[in-house]
mmCIF file of all heavy atoms in Angstrom:
data_model
loop_
_atom_site.group_PDB
_atom_site.id
_atom_site.type_symbol
_atom_site.label_atom_id
_atom_site.label_comp_id
_atom_site.label_asym_id
_atom_site.label_seq_id
_atom_site.Cartn_x
_atom_site.Cartn_y
_atom_site.Cartn_z
ATOM 1 N N ILE A 1 -32.020 -17.278 -120.115
ATOM 2 C CA ILE A 1 -31.937 -17.844 -121.463
ATOM 3 C C ILE A 1 -31.141 -16.883 -122.353
ATOM 4 O O ILE A 1 -31.389 -15.681 -122.353
ATOM 5 C CB ILE A 1 -33.343 -18.065 -122.037
ATOM 6 C CG1 ILE A 1 -34.106 -19.089 -121.188
ATOM 7 C CG2 ILE A 1 -33.268 -18.533 -123.485
ATOM 8 C CD1 ILE A 1 -35.530 -19.302 -121.628
ATOM 9 N N PRO A 2 -30.156 -17.388 -123.115
ATOM 10 C CA PRO A 2 -29.386 -16.511 -124.011
ATOM 11 C C PRO A 2 -30.291 -15.798 -125.002
ATOM 12 O O PRO A 2 -31.186 -16.407 -125.609
ATOM 13 C CB PRO A 2 -28.440 -17.488 -124.725
ATOM 14 C CG PRO A 2 -28.327 -18.661 -123.805
ATOM 15 C CD PRO A 2 -29.672 -18.783 -123.135
ATOM 16 N N GLY A 3 -30.085 -14.503 -125.164
ATOM 17 C CA GLY A 3 -30.879 -13.706 -126.088
ATOM 18 C C GLY A 3 -32.090 -13.049 -125.474
ATOM 19 O O GLY A 3 -32.739 -12.232 -126.124
ATOM 20 N N VAL A 4 -32.412 -13.377 -124.210
ATOM 21 C CA VAL A 4 -33.562 -12.780 -123.533
ATOM 22 C C VAL A 4 -33.100 -11.567 -122.729
ATOM 23 O O VAL A 4 -32.153 -11.661 -121.939
ATOM 24 C CB VAL A 4 -34.258 -13.800 -122.613
ATOM 25 C CG1 VAL A 4 -35.344 -13.118 -121.790
ATOM 26 C CG2 VAL A 4 -34.853 -14.928 -123.436
ATOM 27 N N SER A 5 -33.752 -10.441 -122.954
ATOM 28 C CA SER A 5 -33.403 -9.218 -122.236
ATOM 29 C C SER A 5 -34.091 -9.146 -120.880
ATOM 30 O O SER A 5 -33.470 -8.842 -119.869
ATOM 31 C CB SER A 5 -33.782 -7.994 -123.074
ATOM 32 O OG SER A 5 -33.626 -6.792 -122.334
ATOM 33 N N SER A 6 -35.392 -9.416 -120.847
ATOM 34 C CA SER A 6 -36.136 -9.346 -119.597
ATOM 35 C C SER A 6 -37.408 -10.157 -119.725
ATOM 36 O O SER A 6 -37.880 -10.450 -120.831
ATOM 37 C CB SER A 6 -36.481 -7.892 -119.229
ATOM 38 O OG SER A 6 -37.329 -7.318 -120.216
ATOM 39 N N ALA A 7 -37.962 -10.532 -118.579
ATOM 40 C CA ALA A 7 -39.239 -11.230 -118.514
ATOM 41 C C ALA A 7 -40.093 -10.535 -117.460
ATOM 42 O O ALA A 7 -39.692 -10.441 -116.300
ATOM 43 C CB ALA A 7 -39.046 -12.705 -118.180
ATOM 44 N N ASP A 8 -41.240 -10.028 -117.861
ATOM 45 C CA ASP A 8 -42.125 -9.278 -116.973
ATOM 46 C C ASP A 8 -43.405 -10.064 -116.721
ATOM 47 O O ASP A 8 -43.853 -10.845 -117.566
ATOM 48 C CB ASP A 8 -42.469 -7.916 -117.575
ATOM 49 C CG ASP A 8 -41.226 -7.079 -117.822
ATOM 50 O OD1 ASP A 8 -40.351 -7.057 -116.940
ATOM 51 O OD2 ASP A 8 -41.136 -6.452 -118.896
ATOM 52 N N VAL A 9 -43.992 -9.839 -115.544
ATOM 53 C CA VAL A 9 -45.196 -10.552 -115.135
ATOM 54 C C VAL A 9 -46.378 -9.586 -115.147
ATOM 55 O O VAL A 9 -46.281 -8.462 -114.651
ATOM 56 C CB VAL A 9 -45.033 -11.176 -113.736
ATOM 57 C CG1 VAL A 9 -46.247 -12.021 -113.384
ATOM 58 C CG2 VAL A 9 -43.769 -12.024 -113.678
ATOM 59 N N ILE A 10 -47.487 -10.030 -115.692
ATOM 60 C CA ILE A 10 -48.711 -9.231 -115.762
ATOM 61 C C ILE A 10 -49.846 -10.054 -115.175
ATOM 62 O O ILE A 10 -50.017 -11.227 -115.513
ATOM 63 C CB ILE A 10 -49.046 -8.838 -117.208
ATOM 64 C CG1 ILE A 10 -47.867 -8.133 -117.871
ATOM 65 C CG2 ILE A 10 -50.284 -7.944 -117.264
ATOM 66 C CD1 ILE A 10 -48.056 -7.899 -119.352
ATOM 67 N N GLY A 11 -50.640 -9.417 -114.305
ATOM 68 C CA GLY A 11 -51.812 -10.078 -113.754
ATOM 69 C C GLY A 11 -51.505 -10.845 -112.484
ATOM 70 O O GLY A 11 -50.375 -10.913 -112.002
ATOM 71 N N GLY A 12 -52.546 -11.427 -111.914
ATOM 72 C CA GLY A 12 -52.398 -12.184 -110.682
ATOM 73 C C GLY A 12 -52.435 -11.300 -109.451
ATOM 74 O O GLY A 12 -52.311 -10.073 -109.524
ATOM 75 N N ASP A 13 -52.643 -11.928 -108.295
ATOM 76 C CA ASP A 13 -52.684 -11.222 -107.018
ATOM 77 C C ASP A 13 -51.310 -11.245 -106.375
ATOM 78 O O ASP A 13 -50.679 -12.302 -106.262
ATOM 79 C CB ASP A 13 -53.704 -11.875 -106.073
ATOM 80 C CG ASP A 13 -55.134 -11.685 -106.551
ATOM 81 O OD1 ASP A 13 -55.436 -10.584 -107.052
ATOM 82 O OD2 ASP A 13 -55.939 -12.627 -106.430
ATOM 83 N N VAL A 14 -50.846 -10.075 -105.935
ATOM 84 C CA VAL A 14 -49.548 -9.938 -105.280
ATOM 85 C C VAL A 14 -49.768 -9.810 -103.779
ATOM 86 O O VAL A 14 -50.608 -9.011 -103.326
ATOM 87 C CB VAL A 14 -48.779 -8.708 -105.815
ATOM 88 C CG1 VAL A 14 -47.427 -8.580 -105.132
ATOM 89 C CG2 VAL A 14 -48.615 -8.813 -107.324
ATOM 90 N N ARG A 15 -49.039 -10.594 -103.006
ATOM 91 C CA ARG A 15 -49.205 -10.584 -101.559
ATOM 92 C C ARG A 15 -48.821 -9.218 -100.981
ATOM 93 O O ARG A 15 -47.858 -8.595 -101.395
ATOM 94 C CB ARG A 15 -48.330 -11.671 -100.919
ATOM 95 C CG ARG A 15 -48.503 -11.783 -99.413
ATOM 96 C CD ARG A 15 -47.518 -12.769 -98.817
ATOM 97 N NE ARG A 15 -47.718 -12.935 -97.393
ATOM 98 C CZ ARG A 15 -46.891 -13.593 -96.590
ATOM 99 N NH1 ARG A 15 -45.798 -14.154 -97.094
ATOM 100 N NH2 ARG A 15 -47.140 -13.703 -95.305
ATOM 101 N N GLU A 16 -49.607 -8.775 -100.009
ATOM 102 C CA GLU A 16 -49.357 -7.487 -99.363
ATOM 103 C C GLU A 16 -49.824 -7.549 -97.909
ATOM 104 O O GLU A 16 -50.944 -7.990 -97.630
ATOM 105 C CB GLU A 16 -50.099 -6.375 -100.106
ATOM 106 C CG GLU A 16 -49.859 -4.993 -99.538
ATOM 107 C CD GLU A 16 -50.588 -3.932 -100.342
ATOM 108 O OE1 GLU A 16 -51.830 -3.867 -100.249
ATOM 109 O OE2 GLU A 16 -49.915 -3.179 -101.063
ATOM 110 N N ILE A 17 -48.952 -7.146 -97.007
ATOM 111 C CA ILE A 17 -49.312 -7.052 -95.590
ATOM 112 C C ILE A 17 -49.879 -5.655 -95.357
ATOM 113 O O ILE A 17 -49.165 -4.662 -95.480
ATOM 114 C CB ILE A 17 -48.102 -7.305 -94.680
ATOM 115 C CG1 ILE A 17 -47.441 -8.643 -95.022
ATOM 116 C CG2 ILE A 17 -48.518 -7.270 -93.219
ATOM 117 C CD1 ILE A 17 -48.335 -9.836 -94.808
ATOM 118 N N GLN A 18 -51.157 -5.586 -95.031
ATOM 119 C CA GLN A 18 -51.848 -4.300 -94.877
ATOM 120 C C GLN A 18 -51.982 -3.935 -93.403
ATOM 121 O O GLN A 18 -52.368 -4.774 -92.580
ATOM 122 C CB GLN A 18 -53.229 -4.377 -95.523
ATOM 123 C CG GLN A 18 -53.195 -4.726 -96.999
ATOM 124 C CD GLN A 18 -54.580 -4.948 -97.575
ATOM 125 O OE1 GLN A 18 -55.586 -4.884 -96.856
ATOM 126 N NE2 GLN A 18 -54.657 -5.208 -98.872
ATOM 127 N N VAL A 19 -51.646 -2.694 -93.092
ATOM 128 C CA VAL A 19 -51.824 -2.145 -91.744
ATOM 129 C C VAL A 19 -53.013 -1.189 -91.799
ATOM 130 O O VAL A 19 -52.895 -0.047 -92.239
ATOM 131 C CB VAL A 19 -50.554 -1.427 -91.259
ATOM 132 C CG1 VAL A 19 -50.754 -0.885 -89.838
ATOM 133 C CG2 VAL A 19 -49.355 -2.368 -91.301
ATOM 134 N N GLN A 20 -54.167 -1.675 -91.362
ATOM 135 C CA GLN A 20 -55.405 -0.897 -91.422
ATOM 136 C C GLN A 20 -55.617 -0.214 -90.061
ATOM 137 O O GLN A 20 -56.064 -0.830 -89.094
ATOM 138 C CB GLN A 20 -56.576 -1.810 -91.772
ATOM 139 C CG GLN A 20 -56.411 -2.537 -93.095
ATOM 140 C CD GLN A 20 -57.528 -3.514 -93.383
ATOM 141 O OE1 GLN A 20 -58.420 -3.726 -92.548
ATOM 142 N NE2 GLN A 20 -57.517 -4.123 -94.566
ATOM 143 N N VAL A 21 -55.279 1.069 -89.990
ATOM 144 C CA VAL A 21 -55.322 1.794 -88.719
ATOM 145 C C VAL A 21 -56.771 2.079 -88.313
ATOM 146 O O VAL A 21 -57.668 2.193 -89.159
ATOM 147 C CB VAL A 21 -54.525 3.114 -88.822
ATOM 148 C CG1 VAL A 21 -53.056 2.839 -89.061
ATOM 149 C CG2 VAL A 21 -55.085 4.006 -89.909
ATOM 150 N N LYS A 22 -56.976 2.179 -87.016
ATOM 151 C CA LYS A 22 -58.286 2.479 -86.451
ATOM 152 C C LYS A 22 -58.277 3.921 -85.944
ATOM 153 O O LYS A 22 -57.517 4.267 -85.037
ATOM 154 C CB LYS A 22 -58.599 1.521 -85.309
ATOM 155 C CG LYS A 22 -58.519 0.054 -85.698
ATOM 156 C CD LYS A 22 -58.681 -0.851 -84.488
ATOM 157 C CE LYS A 22 -58.511 -2.316 -84.843
ATOM 158 N NZ LYS A 22 -58.602 -3.190 -83.643
ATOM 159 N N LYS A 23 -59.115 4.731 -86.537
ATOM 160 C CA LYS A 23 -59.117 6.159 -86.215
ATOM 161 C C LYS A 23 -59.417 6.415 -84.747
ATOM 162 O O LYS A 23 -58.761 7.246 -84.106
ATOM 163 C CB LYS A 23 -60.119 6.892 -87.107
ATOM 164 C CG LYS A 23 -60.169 8.384 -86.873
ATOM 165 C CD LYS A 23 -61.169 9.046 -87.803
ATOM 166 C CE LYS A 23 -61.247 10.544 -87.527
ATOM 167 N NZ LYS A 23 -62.234 11.212 -88.409
ATOM 168 N N ASP A 24 -60.408 5.704 -84.202
ATOM 169 C CA ASP A 24 -60.782 5.953 -82.808
ATOM 170 C C ASP A 24 -59.661 5.559 -81.856
ATOM 171 O O ASP A 24 -59.440 6.220 -80.825
ATOM 172 C CB ASP A 24 -62.068 5.196 -82.467
ATOM 173 C CG ASP A 24 -61.951 3.709 -82.772
ATOM 174 O OD1 ASP A 24 -61.073 3.330 -83.585
ATOM 175 O OD2 ASP A 24 -62.728 2.925 -82.200
ATOM 176 N N LYS A 25 -58.914 4.498 -82.185
ATOM 177 C CA LYS A 25 -57.800 4.085 -81.339
ATOM 178 C C LYS A 25 -56.656 5.091 -81.397
ATOM 179 O O LYS A 25 -56.005 5.378 -80.380
ATOM 180 C CB LYS A 25 -57.301 2.703 -81.762
ATOM 181 C CG LYS A 25 -58.324 1.587 -81.583
ATOM 182 C CD LYS A 25 -58.651 1.373 -80.119
ATOM 183 C CE LYS A 25 -59.608 0.204 -79.935
ATOM 184 N NZ LYS A 25 -59.960 -0.021 -78.511
ATOM 185 N N LEU A 26 -56.412 5.644 -82.574
ATOM 186 C CA LEU A 26 -55.362 6.660 -82.694
ATOM 187 C C LEU A 26 -55.697 7.882 -81.839
ATOM 188 O O LEU A 26 -54.834 8.437 -81.152
ATOM 189 C CB LEU A 26 -55.199 7.076 -84.161
ATOM 190 C CG LEU A 26 -54.638 6.031 -85.136
ATOM 191 C CD1 LEU A 26 -54.541 6.629 -86.536
ATOM 192 C CD2 LEU A 26 -53.272 5.547 -84.685
ATOM 193 N N LEU A 27 -56.967 8.293 -81.879
ATOM 194 C CA LEU A 27 -57.373 9.443 -81.068
ATOM 195 C C LEU A 27 -57.274 9.130 -79.579
ATOM 196 O O LEU A 27 -56.892 9.986 -78.775
ATOM 197 C CB LEU A 27 -58.802 9.850 -81.437
ATOM 198 C CG LEU A 27 -59.010 10.368 -82.870
ATOM 199 C CD1 LEU A 27 -60.491 10.627 -83.139
ATOM 200 C CD2 LEU A 27 -58.193 11.634 -83.089
ATOM 201 N N ALA A 28 -57.607 7.907 -79.206
ATOM 202 C CA ALA A 28 -57.543 7.535 -77.791
ATOM 203 C C ALA A 28 -56.113 7.541 -77.275
ATOM 204 O O ALA A 28 -55.852 7.957 -76.137
ATOM 205 C CB ALA A 28 -58.178 6.155 -77.589
ATOM 206 N N TYR A 29 -55.180 7.091 -78.096
ATOM 207 C CA TYR A 29 -53.773 7.078 -77.682
ATOM 208 C C TYR A 29 -53.075 8.409 -77.938
ATOM 209 O O TYR A 29 -51.941 8.602 -77.505
ATOM 210 C CB TYR A 29 -53.015 5.976 -78.425
ATOM 211 C CG TYR A 29 -53.202 4.594 -77.823
ATOM 212 C CD1 TYR A 29 -54.208 3.750 -78.283
ATOM 213 C CD2 TYR A 29 -52.375 4.141 -76.811
ATOM 214 C CE1 TYR A 29 -54.390 2.485 -77.750
ATOM 215 C CE2 TYR A 29 -52.540 2.881 -76.263
ATOM 216 C CZ TYR A 29 -53.553 2.055 -76.736
ATOM 217 O OH TYR A 29 -53.721 0.800 -76.199
ATOM 218 N N GLY A 30 -53.731 9.297 -78.662
ATOM 219 C CA GLY A 30 -53.142 10.605 -78.932
ATOM 220 C C GLY A 30 -51.979 10.566 -79.898
ATOM 221 O O GLY A 30 -51.030 11.342 -79.775
ATOM 222 N N ILE A 31 -52.028 9.663 -80.880
ATOM 223 C CA ILE A 31 -50.961 9.565 -81.869
ATOM 224 C C ILE A 31 -51.569 9.732 -83.259
ATOM 225 O O ILE A 31 -52.776 9.608 -83.457
ATOM 226 C CB ILE A 31 -50.215 8.217 -81.783
ATOM 227 C CG1 ILE A 31 -51.181 7.055 -82.007
ATOM 228 C CG2 ILE A 31 -49.534 8.068 -80.439
ATOM 229 C CD1 ILE A 31 -50.504 5.707 -82.002
ATOM 230 N N GLY A 32 -50.721 10.040 -84.230
ATOM 231 C CA GLY A 32 -51.183 10.237 -85.594
ATOM 232 C C GLY A 32 -50.772 9.094 -86.501
ATOM 233 O O GLY A 32 -49.949 8.249 -86.150
ATOM 234 N N ILE A 33 -51.340 9.089 -87.701
ATOM 235 C CA ILE A 33 -51.035 8.025 -88.646
ATOM 236 C C ILE A 33 -49.584 8.094 -89.108
ATOM 237 O O ILE A 33 -48.964 7.079 -89.443
ATOM 238 C CB ILE A 33 -52.006 8.084 -89.843
ATOM 239 C CG1 ILE A 33 -51.869 6.828 -90.699
ATOM 240 C CG2 ILE A 33 -51.758 9.332 -90.670
ATOM 241 C CD1 ILE A 33 -52.915 6.726 -91.779
ATOM 242 N N ASN A 34 -48.991 9.296 -89.079
ATOM 243 C CA ASN A 34 -47.580 9.420 -89.450
ATOM 244 C C ASN A 34 -46.680 8.714 -88.441
ATOM 245 O O ASN A 34 -45.621 8.191 -88.812
ATOM 246 C CB ASN A 34 -47.190 10.892 -89.556
ATOM 247 C CG ASN A 34 -47.833 11.578 -90.744
ATOM 248 O OD1 ASN A 34 -48.147 10.920 -91.745
ATOM 249 N ND2 ASN A 34 -48.033 12.881 -90.652
ATOM 250 N N ASP A 35 -47.085 8.709 -87.174
ATOM 251 C CA ASP A 35 -46.302 7.995 -86.163
ATOM 252 C C ASP A 35 -46.298 6.489 -86.450
ATOM 253 O O ASP A 35 -45.266 5.821 -86.299
ATOM 254 C CB ASP A 35 -46.874 8.260 -84.769
ATOM 255 C CG ASP A 35 -46.771 9.722 -84.374
ATOM 256 O OD1 ASP A 35 -45.769 10.357 -84.736
ATOM 257 O OD2 ASP A 35 -47.701 10.225 -83.704
ATOM 258 N N VAL A 36 -47.442 5.962 -86.859
ATOM 259 C CA VAL A 36 -47.529 4.534 -87.177
ATOM 260 C C VAL A 36 -46.702 4.218 -88.414
ATOM 261 O O VAL A 36 -45.943 3.236 -88.451
ATOM 262 C CB VAL A 36 -48.997 4.119 -87.391
ATOM 263 C CG1 VAL A 36 -49.088 2.647 -87.769
ATOM 264 C CG2 VAL A 36 -49.816 4.396 -86.137
ATOM 265 N N GLN A 37 -46.820 5.051 -89.426
ATOM 266 C CA GLN A 37 -46.070 4.820 -90.658
ATOM 267 C C GLN A 37 -44.568 4.882 -90.397
ATOM 268 O O GLN A 37 -43.798 4.053 -90.897
ATOM 269 C CB GLN A 37 -46.466 5.859 -91.711
ATOM 270 C CG GLN A 37 -45.756 5.686 -93.046
ATOM 271 C CD GLN A 37 -46.179 6.747 -94.051
ATOM 272 O OE1 GLN A 37 -46.915 7.675 -93.719
ATOM 273 N NE2 GLN A 37 -45.710 6.610 -95.278
ATOM 274 N N ARG A 38 -44.132 5.852 -89.606
ATOM 275 C CA ARG A 38 -42.706 5.992 -89.299
ATOM 276 C C ARG A 38 -42.195 4.798 -88.508
ATOM 277 O O ARG A 38 -41.101 4.286 -88.752
ATOM 278 C CB ARG A 38 -42.481 7.286 -88.525
ATOM 279 C CG ARG A 38 -41.011 7.665 -88.355
ATOM 280 C CD ARG A 38 -40.853 8.942 -87.558
ATOM 281 N NE ARG A 38 -41.653 10.017 -88.122
ATOM 282 C CZ ARG A 38 -42.727 10.536 -87.536
ATOM 283 N NH1 ARG A 38 -43.146 10.050 -86.362
ATOM 284 N NH2 ARG A 38 -43.387 11.522 -88.091
ATOM 285 N N ALA A 39 -42.997 4.308 -87.577
ATOM 286 C CA ALA A 39 -42.574 3.175 -86.749
ATOM 287 C C ALA A 39 -42.428 1.904 -87.580
ATOM 288 O O ALA A 39 -41.465 1.147 -87.419
ATOM 289 C CB ALA A 39 -43.582 2.957 -85.626
ATOM 290 N N VAL A 40 -43.371 1.660 -88.488
ATOM 291 C CA VAL A 40 -43.293 0.463 -89.326
ATOM 292 C C VAL A 40 -42.093 0.549 -90.273
ATOM 293 O O VAL A 40 -41.381 -0.434 -90.486
ATOM 294 C CB VAL A 40 -44.600 0.277 -90.119
ATOM 295 C CG1 VAL A 40 -44.480 -0.871 -91.101
ATOM 296 C CG2 VAL A 40 -45.763 0.025 -89.162
ATOM 297 N N SER A 41 -41.846 1.730 -90.825
ATOM 298 C CA SER A 41 -40.715 1.895 -91.744
ATOM 299 C C SER A 41 -39.387 1.675 -91.036
ATOM 300 O O SER A 41 -38.478 1.026 -91.563
ATOM 301 C CB SER A 41 -40.748 3.287 -92.383
ATOM 302 O OG SER A 41 -41.932 3.485 -93.120
#
């Protein structure tokens, strides 16, 4: 719209894909949380 600089959104739920690591599984495979984070990135 002419004359509008910006429009910002406040509130509401924002979608997020969460990777919830399992500590016991990481220890069993012998890998760290940094390895998982690096692989996803």
Side-chain angles (χ1 to χ4, degrees):
I1 297 176
V4 173
S5 172
S6 63
D8 301 317
V9 185
I10 306 172
D13 292 321
V14 180
R15 183 186 183 189
E16 182 178 72
I17 306 297
Q18 302 174 358
V19 181
Q20 301 176 356
V21 296
K22 304 173 184 177
K23 181 179 178 181
D24 55 339
K25 296 295 183 181
L26 292 180
L27 295 175
Y29 279 93
I31 59 177
I33 191 172
N34 291 333
D35 296 324
V36 178
Q37 181 180 6
R38 190 181 307 111
V40 174
S41 299

